[in-house]
Amino acid sequence: MKGTAKLLLLSSLVVLYFGLGVVGPWYADVPFQGSIAALCVLLRLQTSGWRGLRTDLAFLLPFLCTLVAMGALLDAFAMANRTDWTEDALCKALVFPNSFWSIQLAVGALRLTDLVALPRGVRRFFILTHALVSKSRPLIERLWWLVCHDPSLQTGPWIIRSGRRLTVLLAAALIAVYHETEATVRVYDARMALLEENPS
Amino acid sequence: MNSSGQSTHPSLREESLQHEDPMLLGPWEIGVHPPGLTYRIPAISLPYGSRVWLSGDNGAGKTVFLERVLLPRLAAMGRQVFLVAQDLLLQAHVMAAVLASRGQRAPRCLDDLVMAWCAPARPNSILLLDEADRHLSPRTIHQLLELPLAFVVAVSHQGRPCTTTHCFTICRHETLVHLEIGP
């Protein structure tokens, strides 16, 4: 399968998962989320092998551990009179990798040749989104390395240091992705204008 | 670990470093994976205030040496290391966010941004410049080399900056990388 049909199928599957498992009734359904996680792991193994899966886990685990630790901390202080912080954090720790993998697998399965057959307006949006999603991960990994080695973010207790690093990463990533989007749009529009002038 | 066998916090170790201590490097044999290079670094003692020019062919492994060999070892010695990375245009976003987290306004000019980011450097801090002259003006490079820091290591393809006191060359033979002193 390729072209528009492939795009529609992949988009529908991602929307279906988000509709049911992220904002829908099966958000806290552990067997459903577990099955999706197992399926994503298998597909990830098939597409990128152990190395790809290890890289994904190295990217996801620090965030997931922090999430669960925050849940336990909020539970310990009975924040907002709630006692389900840990449970909610554990749900999020399943839902987040599933959302991440579902988008990553869908984007990874799409080729630019699948997108060129789309109508002009939609094509521009999908090609730009595809390019940005592909660039974002290495960009964020590099930003995280730079943040972790920034001498101004090396001091203080672990929790404060990690919080400052995450804040700086978020701000830097927003600016970087914004700049990257502008650059990608400029290159795409210039290339399309050139192709329209010289169609051969 | 200190003499009583307890681990020492990096900031305490840094305070224990005398400002004018020489920098001792090597001898090290370090494998870096990826990209699968082995670095052989001889024992080197650099006097306080040294300005080192690091040269080498494209692809010899200068950036990997700075980021994966030198920086982690200097940090483990308790040194505060400021790295101006080769992808400075990307790092500029981190620098701007760091300045904002300090409550400072980030300058729009890249040269001013780098100078403001380096401002908290102390006399025992170390500055690593990885081809910063591709993005910064010669005046800013000169100002960075003149900062009152313990050591500065600068990678440059534009020729040896006049204020450098030492010159090292990275030489690569297949997967083995040597650090040579000179020319």
Side-chain angles (χ1 to χ4, degrees):
Chain A
M1 187 184 290
K2 61 181 183 178
T4 314
K6 186 175 171 184
L7 176 70
L8 282 174
L9 177 69
L10 290 169
S11 309
S12 309
L13 286 172
V14 172
V15 169
L16 189 68
Y17 170 67
F18 273 76
L20 291 174
V22 180
V23 292
W26 292 343
Y27 167 76
D29 191 322
V30 175
F32 171 73
Q33 299 290 357
S35 313
I36 296 290
L39 183 67
C40 288
V41 166
L42 280 175
L43 288 170
R44 195 73 184 111
L45 272 174
Q46 198 186 19
T47 52
S48 308
W50 283 106
R51 192 173 171 179
L53 187 64
R54 266 205 312 271
T55 315
D56 284 355
L57 290 175
F59 180 72
L60 289 168
L61 280 177
F63 174 73
L64 298 182
C65 292
T66 311
L67 190 72
V68 175
M70 283 300 293
L73 195 71
L74 292 174
D75 247 351
F77 288 103
M79 202 64 79
N81 291 326
R82 276 177 58 183
T83 52
D84 61 343
W85 287 106
T86 311
E87 198 184 318
D88 189 41
L90 286 169
C91 276
K92 284 187 171 67
L94 263 179
V95 172
F96 180 74
N98 286 350
S99 320
F100 171 83
W101 272 320
S102 60
I103 293 174
Q104 191 189 40
L105 287 164
V107 171
L110 276 177
R111 297 282 170 269
L112 284 173
T113 48
D114 296 321
L115 304 176
V116 288
L118 292 170
R120 192 175 168 173
V122 187
R123 183 180 61 200
R124 182 175 186 270
F125 171 78
F126 275 101
I127 289 181
L128 290 174
T129 308
H130 186 272
L132 277 173
V133 172
S134 311
K135 282 180 187 177
S136 292
R137 185 166 168 188
L139 190 83
I140 290 170
E141 282 175 351
R142 178 62 179 165
L143 285 172
W144 181 237
W145 189 91
L146 290 166
V147 165
C148 289
H149 290 86
D150 194 291
S152 303
L153 305 172
Q154 303 287 336
T155 51
W158 177 84
I159 188 88
I160 304 287
R161 198 168 64 231
S162 304
R164 285 189 66 208
R165 282 178 178 175
L166 285 171
T167 312
V168 166
L169 175 73
L170 191 65
L174 278 172
I175 313 170
V177 170
Y178 185 84
H179 276 253
E180 205 58 51
T181 309
E182 277 190 331
T184 312
V185 167
R186 239 185 348 257
V187 170
Y188 178 84
D189 288 344
R191 184 59 58 92
M192 289 311 290
L194 192 74
L195 282 173
E196 278 167 17
E197 273 178 28
N198 308 293
S200 59
Chain B
M1 302 283 271
N2 61 20
S3 55
S4 59
Q6 292 170 320
S7 63
T8 314
H9 190 272
S11 61
L12 297 177
R13 269 186 281 140
E14 185 166 355
E15 279 167 21
S16 71
L17 290 168
Q18 294 301 306
H19 286 178
E20 309 232 337
D21 279 348
M23 181 161 74
L24 304 171
L25 302 176
W28 299 324
E29 179 156 328
I30 299 156
V32 183
H33 301 279
L37 298 176
T38 303
Y39 282 82
R40 278 201 189 139
I41 312 299
I44 303 165
S45 171
L46 289 164
Y48 176 85
S50 295
R51 300 299 185 249
V52 178
W53 177 44
L54 186 68
S55 66
D57 294 335
N58 278 330
K62 300 183 290 298
T63 297
V64 175
F65 172 69
L66 286 187
E67 293 190 357
R68 311 272 297 275
V69 177
L70 194 56
L71 192 152
R73 265 136 201 96
L74 292 173
M77 287 176 196
R79 298 282 192 173
Q80 186 188 40
V81 188
F82 287 79
L83 168 75
V84 178
Q86 201 172 40
D87 46 355
L88 178 56
L89 296 180
L90 183 65
Q91 193 187 12
H93 304 315
V94 175
M95 290 177 175
V98 165
L99 287 177
S101 78
R102 285 190 215 146
Q104 290 175 252
R105 197 181 174 86
R108 291 182 75 87
C109 165
L110 189 60
D111 294 67
D112 296 339
L113 179 69
V114 173
M115 291 306 295
W117 177 73
C118 287
R122 299 190 284 265
N124 56 357
S125 300
I126 292 168
L127 176 64
L128 308 178
L129 301 171
D130 192 357
E131 294 194 42
D133 49 9
R134 281 168 53 188
H135 303 287
L136 303 177
S137 68
R139 185 167 163 267
T140 306
I141 296 290
H142 183 74
Q143 283 176 338
L144 287 169
L145 288 169
E146 291 292 305
L147 284 173
L149 304 174
F151 310 98
V152 180
V153 180
V155 171
S156 172
H157 286 293
Q158 313 282 334
R160 183 174 178 167
C162 55
T163 41
T164 51
T165 55
H166 297 72
C167 177
F168 293 162
T169 307
I170 290 276
C171 299
R172 178 175 167 184
H173 305 284
E174 295 182 352
T175 59
L176 195 61
V177 185
H178 292 272
L179 181 71
E180 292 178 359
I181 299 170

